[in-house]
Amino acid sequence: MRVTLLGTGDTTGTPTVGCDCDTCERARDRDLERTRFSVYVANERTDESLLIDFSPDFRSQFLREDVLLPDAGIVTHVHFDHLDGLGNAFRVFDALPVYAANETDPETGRSVAETVREDYHYLETLDVRPTTPFEPARICGFDVTLVPVDHPPLLCYGLAIEDPETGAKLSVSGDTSYAVPERSRDVLADPDLLLADAIVPAHLCEYHPIGGRHEDEDGVPRTFGTKHMTREGALALAENLEADRTRLVHVAHYYPADEAFEEPLAVDGEEYVL
């Protein structure tokens, strides 16, 4: 299993358009990027690959990393920065199966799969495949399991990808607060590599209108507001899941410049072989 981090940033990316903060300037000076979230997973046994989420930066990510087009895709939720790159399928793919959860979201009245199908009804190349959470699906030779996480107000999913031949395992938290359900944690547990949402460091919670939540025993917030984990929350989740290796993703440019590119925060283009 070869994992390429195509996009490691939040919804505005780093550098952010029109921003001259120290972090964005340092990213420009070092020629580093965190584009909108997307992960490419290649199965070198079967010569297939799948894409986790369709970043609005799809075109530039694939050209930059020079990877082959995926054989299948997964959509974790319907926010812009994870879905809207799917329009790039137009005149690029002959056919593309796209897997997404089949649970109806009370907020939208549609499942993620239904939203993908309806929003991209004009893309005849798409084959949307509704997928039941907690039930593994064989995709590109991998066993892929979607699990609910906590990203209000919409339903959102993390996932575990396992190679049934080698036992290699990648877990992705998805966009989530620290309140990942225990059943979901059980599926995500013991990965060789964990990609965990860590939008900001905990000390920035004081700037959120509602502050932080899910404090640890020292009062350090593990959730920023309601939707995303802090750096400290993501690392606590990694410890709870007993991840062999952790990279922090969905990172915002609000990290202070002297923290923004320190371990274990990921940047675009990182590659891991599991």
Side-chain angles (χ1 to χ4, degrees), residues 32 45 63 67 71 89 91 103 142 147-148 162 172 219 255 271:
L32 296 175
R45 289 188 301 100
L63 292 174
V67 290
D71 297 286
R91 294 195 306 185
E103 297 177 311
F142 296 127
V147 295
E162 298 182 72
V172 181
Y255 273 83
E271 185 176 270

Side-chain angles (χ1 to χ4, degrees), residues 10-11 36-37 53-57 74-86 105 107-108 110-112 115-116 119-120 149-157 174-176 197 199 226-228 250:
D10 70 338
T11 191
R36 275 69 69 90
F37 183 81
D53 284 339
F54 289 80
S55 167
D57 300 303
I74 301 166
V75 175
T76 62
H77 65 297
V78 298
H79 279 156
F80 152 80
D81 52 328
H82 295 256
L83 174 61
D84 281 17
L86 190 53
D105 190 330
E107 189 73 21
T108 66
R110 301 187 294 183
S111 67
V112 176
T115 298
V116 172
D119 286 3
Y120 291 92
V149 289
D150 182 55
H151 191 55
L154 299 180
L155 292 184
C156 182
Y157 301 86
D175 284 17
T176 186
D197 170 15
I199 195 164
T226 61
K227 295 184 178 184
H228 296 276
H250 211 278

Side-chain angles (χ1 to χ4, degrees), residues 32-176:
L32 296 175
E33 273 195 301
R34 290 189 175 116
T35 56
R36 275 69 69 90
F37 183 81
S38 189
V39 179
Y40 183 88
V41 186
N43 188 334
E44 296 179 316
R45 289 188 301 100
T46 65
D47 198 28
E48 298 173 288
S49 61
L50 63 90
L51 183 67
I52 304 169
D53 284 339
F54 289 80
S55 167
D57 300 303
F58 179 101
R59 178 180 178 275
S60 61
Q61 290 172 346
F62 273 79
L63 292 174
R64 184 193 68 210
E65 299 306 324
D66 193 27
V67 290
L68 298 175
L69 289 172
D71 297 286
I74 301 166
V75 175
T76 62
H77 65 297
V78 298
H79 279 156
F80 152 80
D81 52 328
H82 295 256
L83 174 61
D84 281 17
L86 190 53
N88 286 277
F90 182 66
R91 294 195 306 185
V92 171
F93 293 91
D94 294 326
L96 182 67
V98 177
Y99 296 79
N102 60 5
E103 297 177 311
T104 299
D105 190 330
E107 189 73 21
T108 66
R110 301 187 294 183
S111 67
V112 176
E114 288 170 328
T115 298
V116 172
R117 181 181 287 121
E118 293 175 23
D119 286 3
Y120 291 92
H121 61 88
Y122 59 90
L123 293 178
E124 296 179 357
T125 57
L126 295 188
D127 174 16
V128 179
R129 301 187 180 182
T131 304
T132 302
F134 295 114
E135 294 185 7
R138 183 61 58 89
I139 308 173
C140 298
F142 296 127
D143 291 331
V144 180
T145 308
L146 292 171
V147 295
V149 289
D150 182 55
H151 191 55
L154 299 180
L155 292 184
C156 182
Y157 301 86
L159 64 151
I161 300 177
E162 298 182 72
D163 187 324
E165 296 293 328
T166 68
K169 181 175 180 179
L170 167 69
S171 291
V172 181
S173 75
D175 284 17
T176 186

